[in-house]
Structures are given as C-alpha cells and as structure tokens.
Amino acid sequence: MRIGVDVGGTNTDAVIMEGSRVLASAKRPTTEDVAGGMVAAIRAVLDDSQVPVSDIHSVMVGTTQFINAFVERKHLSEVAIIRIALPLSEGIPPLVDWPDDLRAAIGEHIYMVGGGCYYTGAEYMPLDEEALVKAARDIRDKGLEAVAITSIFAPIRQDYEERAAAIIREYAPDVAITQSNQVGSLNLVERENAAVINASLMRLSRQVIDSYRKSLAALDINGRLYVTQNDGTLMSAEAAEQNPVMTCSAGPTNSMRGAGFLSGLKEAVVIDIGGTTTDVGFLHHGFPRETTDANDIGGVRTNFSMPDVLSIGLGGGSIVAGDAEVTVGPASVGYRILQEARIFGGSTLTATDIAVASGQADIGDASAVSTLPSELVENALSDMHSKIETALDRMKTSARAVPAVLVGGGHVLVSRSLKGVSELHRPEHASVANAIGAAIGQVGARIKRIVEYGDSGRDEVIRQVSEEVKRDVVEAGGIPETVKVVEIEEMQMTYLQANAVSLKIRAIGDLATGD
C-alpha cells in the first residue's frame, strides 16, 4: 500500500494505491501551512478505503513549495558563492544577470578561486586550496548558512568541488553545501545559478520536509517518505532536503505521469487543468518531454532537467469577465473557490460556474447559475477552448493531430473536441492524476557528459556509461532486475576540435519495497 500526495496552489490531492489499483482518492483545499491540507487529504483516503495505517509502506509527495518561495523571494538564505575556474571566466562573475531583488535577498558573497580542467578532464590549473581556506574562514565569520560550489566542467570531474566542500566543512562544519555537479549539467553559468538557487532553499527544505514527517506522524503512518523530482522519478526525503531545486516542476510532471498511467498512452499530449492554471506538455516513452532550452526560474537562467510544459492562466477558479467580449482568466479565485464561486454561495463568476451552467459538470448548486445568459455561457466556453487550442498549437512540433489526455480537477471545463487532437481521453480518476503520478513514481538517474569514442568505439562507451547510470539507480533504491535504460541522446560537439560528443543516458527502475 502506498499513498501519493500532490500539494497544489488550490488543492491538495491524495490517493491510496495497491499495486496499480486506486483504492480511494480525495481532494482538499490547500491550507496556508500546507500540512493541514495534506493531513486532511490523507485522512480522507484512509477513512474511505479503511486501510490500516500499519499497511502503508510509503508516501510519495509532490510539491512546488520550494520553487514558489524562490519566485516570491520568501524564506531564502544568504549564500556564499564559490566558483573554481580562474584564470578563466573572470569576465562574467556570478549573479551577473540576476534580478536586483534576488541579489539583495541572497547577498553578494562571491569567492573566485583558481583551478579547473578542460572538457577532456585534463587539468589546466590545480585547485587553489589557500584561497579556499581564506573563503572558508570568511564564511564562518559572516555566519553564512549556505554555500554553493561550482567548478568548470564539474559534470566531467567532480573532485574539484568535492575537495572544496571538504575544506569548507573543516572551518564551517554546520553550513549546508550544494555542489553544482549534483544539480546541473554542462554550461558553467546556468549550472552555477541552479546551485545557488538550491543553496538558498536548503534551510526552507529542511523545515518543509520536517513538517511532512510530522504530518505523517500525526496520522500514525510509519511508511517511508519520498518526494517527486522534476523528471517524474522519486528521491528520498533526505535527498529532497539536500536538493530542493530538483522538485520545482514536480506538479506538472506528476500530472503527466499520472495521465500516461491512467490512459495507457506512452506518446500523447497532456492537458492538466487545475484550479488556477492549465499545463500542456507531451509524454515521450511515458515520461514528460524535457525542455531543450535554458529554464527561467524566477528570472534566473538554469539548465537542470525540467519538463517542457506551457502554462496558461486558465483553471476552475478563473474569473469570467466582460459581457459583449467575454474572457476567462488569467485572474483566479484560487483556493477560495469554495467560498467565492457562485455555485458555492459566493458572488464571483468562475470557469467552474460556466461548466455547471452549460450542463457539463454537476457540482455545487446549479440553480445559482441557471439564469446566466446563454450567449455569455457560450462565449465563455469558446474562449476557454480557444485558449487551450492555442497552447496546444504552440507546444506541437508538427501539424499532425495527436492523442490528448485530459486530467486535473478542472478537466470538466472541456466539453467539445479540440483542434489538432486526434482522440481525446478523459480517464477515470482524471481529477487526481497528479497524486497518482506521485504514487507510481520510479527511481531514476541520468548521466550527461562529453565523451570521445576514440579507440574504444561508440558501442563500448555507451555500454560503460549505461552500466554506470544503472548502478546509480540501484544505489538510489531501485530493484536491480527492473532497471533499464530508457533514453540515449547523442549530440556532436562540432565547435570543439576533437571528435567530441555530448552523451546523455537515462535509466529508471521500480522502487524497492523491502525493509
């Protein structure tokens, strides 16, 4: 038995599953303290299913709390930023393109240190340990709590960052350290940005994960706690405390994974309509298609793995405005829909009210919207469908019609066929697909590095890296016999003199359930 939970901006969803069977599901308003909504949703599925808490082996949670805090500039720690690259990269210092308010929030504690290697791993300068000792003492004297360490080509050689972390801990043993090789891939500045974001969130992550543990304790659940990552796989609660930035797209990812599971489709577009936004993304081999562009998080460019998702301001709580020219969203009543929507006794006309008035949803008090002009209802429906069709068109890579899966609590907003969609699926339990996506999470790992096939040959290099990434999955808790490579991506590095290739290999496996 396992429980999946997704903490959204409007609702907190929970499901309890046995194998591939959903035993119970629940949707409760997200509370300001988050823990309250989580406890209420889990208690509801336990009561509904009558499953003893002693049978719950694990709880998987998807959350966007950490990235929301960064975007809102709340609860951030000041960060000591150590870059190991001199004499290279001095012309583009850390934080050079960060918004002013973020620079002020995390401080400008920057330490440039000598040392580094080329993309081949060959050293061009040894690590300047004296400079690191000086930085460590300054970090200790300033009382800083978080450190982000970045070295040039760290995904190829991690030893520079590992040695730097060891030196920092000698002088400031209580600081939280993020190494860029653990959160980002190639490209120094974007990887450094990801490391700094992660470091700024580590204090908050410990507080949030601790609140999750207390929530489960309040329900007498002793099962293991996992947190979903951006790519749809799981990491332990302890790992999430160290790598909060890896959870920033867990919400859309969970919904897409849940949509694939419920529909049985491996290749499809997923339309996830929540209370505030609609997220549109593509499934590829059953997992979210990853973006190939640098990601903008709160105004900062990063390059860690994220799903390719387009979000628009349309959801069940979206406010309907206008008479002659009706528009729906992007303004929303959010988690207050149960108080403000007309069908629930409020005075605000929302997208959900339109769905009820048109007869495509049976929620709340339909008499409260029975007198709405039919022209207004039709124009609102047309605006909603038009917005979704435009989002679909922007995300598609060809004019060919594709299958689509509708999920999320707001899936009732769609009542007609959509342009560009060959077949529209609305599976059972669609409204809690995000929680199901969390519950079915697997363990995954990836390796991305620059290689030269050389005398070993392409097949042998790929085999060696594949075995390495499989071992990483097993170490993360995967069952060895279930681990398989699901993606191999090669890109010729034509701008380098040598015959270099950027190689990315990804593997997944089922989560081990033994004690």
Side-chain angles (χ1 to χ4, degrees):
M1 300 287 183
R2 63 193 184 279
I3 291 176
V5 180
D6 187 272
V7 182
T10 303
N11 292 306
T12 295
D13 297 344
V15 296
I16 185 166
M17 297 184 68
E18 181 179 23
S20 61
R21 190 162 60 100
V22 178
L23 302 182
S25 64
K27 187 182 292 287
R28 294 293 184 269
T30 297
T31 54
E32 190 170 349
D33 66 351
V34 177
M38 180 174 171
V39 170
I42 294 177
R43 182 173 285 126
V45 295
L46 288 172
D47 290 344
D48 190 23
S49 65
Q50 292 297 298
V51 171
V53 292
S54 58
D55 288 352
I56 304 301
H57 173 268
S58 52
V59 178
M60 293 79 163
V61 180
T63 180
T64 56
Q65 275 187 273
F66 307 131
I67 200 61
N68 290 345
F70 186 80
V71 170
E72 296 171 9
R73 281 59 162 158
K74 294 180 179 178
H75 313 297
L76 304 181
S77 299
E78 291 195 22
V79 180
I81 304 168
I82 298 175
R83 181 192 289 180
I84 304 167
L86 293 179
L88 303 180
S89 81
E90 193 171 11
I92 305 176
L95 307 182
V96 67
D97 59 347
W98 283 48
D100 291 340
D101 58 343
L102 265 177
R103 292 165 67 103
I106 68 168
E108 295 190 49
H109 311 286
I110 297 172
Y111 306 89
M112 304 285 279
V113 176
C117 67
Y118 299 108
Y119 76 93
T120 59
E123 184 174 84
Y124 66 74
M125 179 172 284
L127 181 63
D128 186 347
E129 296 196 1
E130 289 186 8
L132 278 169
V133 170
K134 183 178 179 180
R137 288 171 174 162
D138 193 52
I139 291 167
R140 178 195 60 196
D141 294 343
K142 286 181 177 179
L144 298 177
E145 300 178 348
V147 178
I149 302 174
T150 305
S151 65
I152 194 166
F153 289 114
I156 296 168
R157 277 191 61 172
Q158 296 86 38
D159 54 315
Y160 292 98
E161 293 187 357
E162 290 170 353
R163 177 57 184 153
I167 291 173
I168 297 300
R169 288 193 179 97
E170 288 181 23
Y171 295 87
D174 296 328
V175 297
I177 297 178
T178 297
Q179 296 175 207
S180 76
N181 68 81
Q182 298 172 344
V183 296
S185 55
L186 298 170
N187 297 333
L188 176 69
V189 173
E190 287 86 351
R191 175 163 40 86
E192 179 179 67
N193 288 345
V196 175
I197 293 172
N198 192 76
S200 73
L201 293 169
M202 288 181 72
R203 179 180 61 187
L204 175 64
S205 70
R206 291 172 178 172
Q207 296 171 351
V208 170
I209 298 300
D210 186 58
S211 74
Y212 291 165
R213 292 191 180 103
K214 290 178 179 176
S215 297
L216 299 185
L219 294 163
D220 295 323
I221 295 176
N222 295 317
R224 297 173 180 173
L225 176 62
Y226 296 91
V227 179
T228 57
Q229 301 187 78
N230 300 329
D231 63 359
T233 59
L234 298 169
M235 58 180 167
S236 68
E238 293 74 22
E241 289 178 321
Q242 298 298 315
N243 301 288
V245 76
M246 303 307 292
T247 71
C248 65
S249 290
T253 299
N254 286 341
S255 293
M256 295 177 70
R257 288 276 289 143
F261 174 81
L262 292 172
S263 66
L265 298 176
K266 299 294 184 182
E267 309 286 334
V269 63
V270 176
I271 306 168
D272 175 22
I273 307 178
T276 305
T277 62
T278 292
D279 296 326
V280 180
F282 273 82
L283 283 173
H284 181 54
H285 300 309
F287 282 84
R289 183 179 72 189
E290 292 183 10
T291 179
T292 56
D293 297 327
N295 309 301
D296 187 292
I297 305 296
V300 177
R301 284 171 59 88
T302 66
N303 67 345
F304 52 82
S305 171
M306 286 184 65
D308 188 9
V309 174
L310 175 63
S311 295
I312 60 174
L314 175 65
S318 295
I319 297 173
V320 180
D323 295 318
E325 186 174 343
V326 178
T327 60
V328 184
S332 172
V333 298
Y335 67 87
R336 291 191 54 78
I337 188 171
L338 295 179
Q339 292 77 39
E340 297 194 24
R342 291 193 186 182
I343 57 173
F344 297 123
S347 58
T348 304
L349 185 61
T350 69
T352 302
D353 292 316
I354 295 297
V356 172
S358 66
Q360 62 196 50
D362 183 14
I363 308 169
D365 180 11
S367 65
V369 292
S370 60
T371 59
L372 287 177
S374 58
E375 184 178 1
L376 183 151
V377 173
E378 178 58 31
N379 288 342
L381 288 172
S382 297
D383 184 65
M384 289 188 284
H385 286 78
S386 176
K387 283 182 166 65
I388 294 172
E389 289 171 344
T390 300
L392 282 170
D393 193 51
R394 289 177 59 186
M395 290 297 290
K396 290 173 62 179
T397 56
S398 72
R400 181 174 57 87
V402 295
V405 186
L406 271 173
V407 295
H411 70 87
V412 295
L413 301 186
V414 176
S415 59
R416 58 188 69 165
S417 61
L418 296 168
K419 295 178 182 177
V421 171
S422 59
E423 53 188 59
L424 192 62
H425 297 258
R426 201 190 306 255
E428 186 181 7
H429 305 299
S431 63
V432 290
N434 47 8
I436 292 173
I440 65 171
Q442 295 172 294
V443 183
R446 73 185 65 226
I447 290 177
K448 184 175 182 179
R449 63 176 56 147
I450 299 175
V451 300
E452 292 180 10
Y453 292 143
D455 295 336
S456 297
R458 173 183 178 273
D459 292 345
E460 177 60 19
V461 171
I462 290 178
R463 186 195 67 79
Q464 291 176 3
V465 178
S466 296
E467 291 303 314
E468 184 179 345
V469 75
K470 286 179 181 179
R471 288 195 296 270
D472 289 345
V473 175
V474 174
E475 290 177 5
I479 302 172
E481 54 268 29
T482 69
V483 177
K484 60 183 178 180
V485 171
V486 295
E487 182 181 10
I488 298 176
E489 180 183 288
E490 300 170 89
M491 182 179 296
Q492 194 73 32
M493 309 291 282
T494 55
Y495 53 88
L496 296 178
Q497 291 182 352
N499 187 27
V501 175
S502 174
L503 178 65
K504 182 176 73 173
I505 299 182
R506 180 184 181 197
I508 61 170
D510 294 339
L511 181 68
T513 57
D515 293 330

